Amino acid sequence: NEPPLIDANGDGIGRYDVFQLDTKGVYHKVGKWRSSEDSFEVRVEQVRRGFRLPPGVSPYSVCSVDCPRGHYRAYQDQTCCWACIPCDIATSIIINVTGCELCPEGEVPDPTQSYCVPIPPVSMQWDTIWALVPAGFSMLGLASTIFVVGVFLKFSNTPVIMASGRELCYCMISGISMCYILTFFLVSQPSIPTCALTRVLMGLSMSAIYAAIITKTNRLARVFKPDSAQRPRFITPKAQ
């Protein structure tokens, strides 16, 4: 330890030792500075060993290095020190070194993350498996539905068809057919007509199917469990 020194004005003379923190968390003295001698001494080779640098390479003497692409600076107490915060490269652009900006809805950053560009519309193509498989099942379902309609038309006046609720069965078959047809609109390229038909058929098809099922269930419940000996009302095909 050196005794305290003061200058002619009574101020303390600056004396500083330079330490380096190694990878084990231990400080090592690598240099010193004395204002009275106006000198700065540092053992460069020892500093290189502490940073594990090859010979001839000097360590950086900065608080923070430049942030990589896709990051912005978050300054700390000093203007020369900052932390690098990553931006969301999928939705944000870098407006400057200190901030990012979220792209508007329907836009994404360009490859340089400098400005936002509209998202190109992508629709399903008919030559892909994602369109061919649903279309194949829908065509098979439509063929089966047409076959059932043919059977109903051929035996329309038989007791079995009439007892099953012929008119309600036709309503149910119509809803099933609309469900199969809806698949072709869903995998088609979006447009105003296809989007409108998709919204209409999706609700109309389910309504036709469930309405027929509920009506048939209600009819059977009232036929086999009448409230009185009188024939229940509204059970004829025309009423249904």
Side-chain angles (χ1 to χ4, degrees):
N1 295 329
E2 299 180 6
L5 300 176
I6 58 175
D7 57 14
N9 298 322
D11 298 325
I13 297 177
R15 297 182 302 174
Y16 297 95
D17 292 329
V18 181
F19 290 86
Q20 182 185 31
L21 182 66
D22 62 11
T23 56
K24 297 181 180 180
V26 180
Y27 286 96
H28 299 277
K29 184 178 179 180
V30 295
K32 64 180 181 178
W33 177 81
R34 299 292 182 267
S35 63
S36 59
E37 302 173 2
D38 194 18
S39 64
F40 175 69
E41 298 178 6
V42 62
R43 294 186 284 273
V44 179
E45 293 302 325
Q46 186 175 352
V47 174
R48 287 200 182 101
R49 288 195 300 271
F51 281 105
R52 297 182 179 180
L53 297 174
V57 178
S58 299
Y60 286 108
S61 181
V62 293
C63 180
S64 301
V65 296
D66 290 337
C67 294
R69 178 174 294 277
H71 294 68
Y72 67 92
R73 298 179 183 179
Y75 285 98
Q76 301 174 2
D77 296 337
Q78 300 86 12
T79 57
C80 61
C81 298
W82 58 81
C84 294
I85 308 299
C87 298
D88 187 355
I89 60 175
T91 59
S92 302
I93 59 173
I94 304 173
I95 54 177
N96 50 47
V97 295
T98 60
C100 300
E101 183 177 290
L102 189 67
C103 287
E105 185 176 356
E107 297 185 1
V108 293
D110 72 308
T112 63
Q113 292 184 277
S114 301
Y115 55 91
C116 299
V117 295
I119 300 176
V122 178
S123 59
M124 190 177 298
Q125 302 298 321
W126 281 103
D127 56 352
T128 62
I129 189 173
W130 307 108
L132 293 176
V133 171
F137 278 107
S138 295
M139 293 180 65
L140 181 62
L142 281 174
S144 302
T145 305
I146 293 173
F147 173 76
V148 173
V149 171
V151 173
F152 266 72
L153 292 176
K154 183 176 181 179
F155 302 98
S156 178
N157 295 321
T158 59
V160 175
I161 299 297
M162 296 178 66
S164 64
R166 180 176 51 191
E167 291 75 13
L168 292 177
C169 287
Y170 284 137
C171 179
M172 190 183 306
I173 291 174
S174 300
I176 295 173
S177 301
M178 285 188 287
C179 286
Y180 289 126
I181 295 173
L182 177 62
T183 304
F184 298 98
F185 292 106
L186 290 174
V187 299
S188 299
Q189 185 173 359
S191 63
I192 294 178
T194 56
C195 290
L197 288 172
T198 299
R199 296 179 68 90
V200 172
L201 291 178
M202 188 174 296
L204 183 60
S205 58
M206 292 292 105
S207 298
I209 295 172
Y210 286 111
I213 294 175
I214 293 174
T215 304
K216 289 182 66 173
T217 304
N218 177 267
R219 177 188 179 187
L220 292 175
R222 290 191 297 115
V223 167
F224 290 101
K225 291 185 179 181
D227 296 333
S228 64
Q230 186 179 2
R231 182 180 179 181
R233 302 172 59 187
F234 304 112
I235 62 173
T236 61
K238 186 177 181 180
Q240 299 294 320

